[in-house]
């Protein structure tokens, strides 16, 4: 090791992030954003940011994270709004022909729009990975991060003083060199070398097979007004096709001339790489107009995984994003979960490095995020399995054209069997809302760790709130510690033009305390305890004659504490603790809560 110390090929940095995708790049942004800005080195084996628009659906939970560092507006401006171009998921014969049915999607169902509106100040948008990654990496570099493409991570070792010495290779020159850091973050995707080096076990279930992405340029603007949506499923039982090209999901990349066709096959079918000619033929069939110019821009296959890591960290090495949870794109949860992993971790790293918290706080990252990742993996794969019911009813799983056509035409028959099959098909389509209109799975996270203070809840005999009967579709709003801070629109006593969400008052790298009439002692406690612990605790009063007015009286319904009680939100806007009423010594109580959460 002495030779390494003396080598000119050792670079010193506090932070080394492996991977520049949504997880790694967003982690860098959250770490470098004030307050307590931290920067380091990002390495990526890729030659640039994503060239294929793999992830695209961006849900309110992820946008809240970007909103915290001022990137939400850029994401909305460069992406596509959910309430205009993401209205539906459709099932049809081809893009220009017959439609079988459609569902409202991504918060646009009039019957469920209120629930989405109440869950968050943010709305869904379509932000392809090819657009998202440059937004994040440009911000990170602007903030001072050193981003090195074509650089691959090989291994690391822990030195005697606890620092981490990583070996990396410059893929342009082939030269290997060392990077010494205090922290190492493995955000290096499904082929993660960092996770392998840690030997973290993976919980795996059998793969559901392969899928095939085909990126296509085709101007469909003449057809889209009557077919507005960003997901279109095709069923053509009368066609001859390979077993791994039985159907496709076409999604918008750039309205309305660039599309990603995701081709699926029968489960268990032997994989055969389609030729370019076969791809063109199938894509033209899905479009339904042979005279329309079509250009295939790229092709790639991927595995439908059901994998989650048993835990996410060891010592000062943390893994996040696709490195620890791998699943199909049902629900569009992939990049959203990656960014939320990073948001959860970043404030904890900064608080430990500032001396506000002990390293024990970092143990809460895996305890809080691994259950979320496991749930996402399970749900996304359940959604993928549910598609087989639709495919079966449409007849496309039958072995011959004759059998497929016979089963499909049976859906049109005025017979008891035809009626039953239509009912099964419609029920399966209704259930598909779980895959594209499910604010519950996007927002229903409950953190349980030492970074959440539950002693008062346990002492008072208050049990955890029960999830809704359908926790995938429906969001539970609660101030119970470990839940998201409830979103409510507020205004000033003398109204301002723009409303402010409780979400905007919280976060920004600081703890936030919310109280109301009679809660002045909580405000004083936030000031005095914050000074004592070196923390900037933002205190806000809501109610009649207070700093903020509960305009629509929603805070009164959602806070679940008395006016003189309080809610303490962490920097990631999850509830850390609450007091139902004013207590005798507010400062002592708040001090005890914070020292417990921060491990001081």
């Amino acid at each position: 090791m002495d030779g390494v110390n003396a080598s000119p090929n050792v670079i010193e940095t506090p932070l080394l992030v492996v991977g520049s995708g949504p997880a790694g790049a967003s982690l860098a942004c959250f770490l470098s954003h004030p307050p307590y800005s931290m920067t380091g080195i990002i390495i990526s084996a890729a030659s640039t940011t994503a060239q294929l628009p793999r992830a695209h659906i961006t849900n309110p939970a992820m946008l809240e994270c970007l909103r915290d560092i001022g990137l939400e507006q850029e994401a909305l401006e460069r992406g596509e709004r959910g309430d205009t171009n993401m209205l539906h998921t459709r099932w049809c014969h081809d893009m220009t022909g017959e439609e079988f049915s459609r569902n409202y999607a991504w918060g646009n169902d009039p019957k469920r729009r209120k629930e989405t509106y109440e869950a968050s100040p943010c709305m869904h948008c379509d932000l392809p990975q090819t657009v998202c990654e440059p937004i994040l990496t440009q911000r990170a570099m602007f903030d001072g991060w050193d981003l090195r493409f074509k650089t691959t991570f090989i291994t690391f070792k822990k030195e005697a003083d606890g620092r981490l010495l990583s070996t990396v290779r410059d893929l342009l020159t082939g030269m290997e060199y060392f990077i010494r850091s205090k922290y190492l973050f493995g955000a290096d995707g499904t082929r993660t070398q960092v996770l392998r080096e840690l030997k973290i076990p993976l919980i795996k279930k059998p793969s559901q097979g392969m899928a095939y992405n085909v990126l296509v340029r085709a101007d469909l603007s003449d057809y889209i007004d009557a077919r507005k949506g960003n997901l279109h499923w095709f069923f053509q039982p009368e066609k001859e096709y390979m077993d791994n090209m039985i159907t496709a999901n076409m999604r918008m990349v750039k309205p309305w001339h660039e599309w990603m066709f995701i081709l699926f096959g029968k489960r268990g079918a032997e994989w055969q790489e389609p030729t370019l000619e076969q791809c063109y033929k199938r894509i033209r069939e899905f479009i339904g107009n042979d005279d329309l110019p079509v250009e295939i821009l790229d092709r790639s296959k991927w595995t439908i995984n059901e994998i989650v890591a048993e835990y996410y960290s060891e010592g000062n090495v943390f893994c996040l994003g696709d490195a620890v949870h791998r699943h199909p794109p049902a629900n569009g949860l992939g990049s959203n979960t990656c960014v939320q992993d990073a948001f959860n971790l970043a404030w904890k790293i900064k608080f430990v490095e500032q001396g506000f918290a002990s390293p024990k706080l970092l143990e809460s990252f895996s305890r809080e995020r691994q259950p979320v990742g496991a749930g996402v993996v399970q749900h996304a794969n359940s959604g993928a399995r549910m598609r087989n019911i639709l495919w079966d009813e449409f007849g496309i799983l039958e072995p011959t054209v004759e059998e497929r056509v016979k089963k499909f035409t049976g859906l049109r028959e005025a017979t008891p069997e035809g009626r039953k099959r239509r009912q099964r098909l419609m029920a399966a389509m209704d259930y598909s809302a779980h895959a594209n209109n499910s604010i519950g799975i996007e927002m229903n996270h409950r953190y349980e760790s030492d970074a959440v203070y539950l002693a008062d809840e346990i002492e008072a005999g208050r049990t955890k709130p029960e999830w809704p009967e359908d926790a995938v579709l429906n969001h539970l709003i609660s101030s119970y510690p470990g839940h998201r801070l409830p979103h409510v629109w507020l205004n000033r006593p003398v109204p301002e033009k723009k409303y402010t969400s409780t979400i905007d008052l919280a976060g920004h790298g600081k703890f936030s305390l919310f109280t109301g009439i009679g809660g002045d002692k909580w405000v004083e406690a936030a000031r005095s305890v914050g000074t004592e612990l070196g923390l900037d605790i933002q205190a806000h009063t809501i109610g009649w004659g207070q700093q903020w007015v509960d305009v629509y009286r929603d805070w009164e319904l959602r806070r679940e504490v008395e006016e003189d009680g309080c809610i303490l939100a962490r920097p990631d806007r999850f509830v850390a603790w609450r007091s139902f009423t004013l207590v005798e010594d507010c400062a002592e109580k708040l001090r005890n809560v914070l020292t417990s959460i921060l491990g001081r």
Side-chain angles (χ1 to χ4, degrees), residues 306-351:
E306 189 164 359
I307 300 173
V308 65
E310 285 191 9
Y311 51 91
Y312 287 7
S313 65
E314 190 172 290
N316 277 4
V317 185
F318 301 85
C319 296
L320 60 157
D322 288 351
V324 288
H325 40 76
R326 307 166 201 171
H327 52 86
N331 278 92
L333 296 170
S335 61
N336 295 286
T337 308
C338 295
V339 171
Q340 291 172 80
D341 286 346
F343 196 58
N344 177 285
L345 179 58
W347 76 269
K348 297 172 182 177
I349 295 289
K350 291 202 280 191
F351 269 53

Side-chain angles (χ1 to χ4, degrees), residues 477-536:
I477 297 174
S478 176
S479 68
Y480 190 88
H483 283 252
R484 294 178 183 277
L485 177 71
H487 150 64
V488 166
W489 289 114
L490 307 172
N491 211 325
R492 294 293 191 181
V494 177
E496 297 175 341
K497 184 176 180 180
K498 188 176 180 180
Y499 287 69
T500 298
S501 170
T502 47
I503 298 301
D504 296 321
L505 297 181
H508 309 294
K510 304 171 184 178
F511 277 87
S512 303
L513 186 142
F514 295 82
T515 187
I517 296 174
D520 293 347
K521 289 185 178 179
W522 289 120
V523 177
E524 295 171 10
R527 186 179 303 113
S528 63
V529 173
T531 300
E532 178 186 337
L533 299 180
L535 300 174
D536 182 1

Side-chain angles (χ1 to χ4, degrees), residues 1 3 16 29 45 101 181 191 206 241 246 302 353-354 366 405 410 468 483 529 586 589:
M1 198 61 66
L16 175 58
C29 292
S101 190
S181 61
R191 296 184 178 91
Y241 40 68
I246 65 172
W302 52 276
E353 285 305 291
Q354 288 294 318
S366 183
V405 170
H483 283 252
V529 173
C586 294
K589 185 64 190 180

Side-chain angles (χ1 to χ4, degrees), residues 283-302:
I283 297 303
R284 290 188 185 281
E285 289 173 345
F286 290 140
I287 290 176
N289 182 348
D290 290 342
D291 296 327
L292 202 68
V294 172
E295 181 184 1
I296 291 179
L297 304 175
D298 205 297
R299 299 179 290 159
S300 62
K301 67 176 183 290
W302 52 276

Side-chain angles (χ1 to χ4, degrees), residues 384-395:
R385 279 187 280 270
M386 280 298 299
R387 289 198 299 254
N388 284 319
I389 298 175
L390 283 166
W391 296 359
D392 182 49
E393 292 298 338
F394 275 115

Side-chain angles (χ1 to χ4, degrees), residues 400-414:
T400 67
V401 169
E402 292 74 17
E403 291 172 285
R404 292 197 292 265
V405 170
K406 181 180 179 181
K407 188 161 188 175
F408 177 75
T409 55
L411 287 169
R412 305 181 190 274
E413 293 176 355

Side-chain angles (χ1 to χ4, degrees), residues 91 100-103 382-383 385-391 393-394 411 418-436 470 473:
W91 297 272
F100 305 128
S101 190
R102 65 173 69 182
N103 276 358
S382 294
R385 279 187 280 270
M386 280 298 299
R387 289 198 299 254
N388 284 319
I389 298 175
L390 283 166
W391 296 359
E393 292 298 338
F394 275 115
L411 287 169
R419 186 177 301 114
K420 288 180 181 178
R421 287 194 54 212
R422 287 189 292 275
Q423 289 172 346
R424 286 198 300 268
L425 183 62
M426 293 302 112
M429 288 176 172
D430 287 343
Y431 187 83
S432 73
H434 287 74
N436 50 44
D470 192 332
L473 284 182

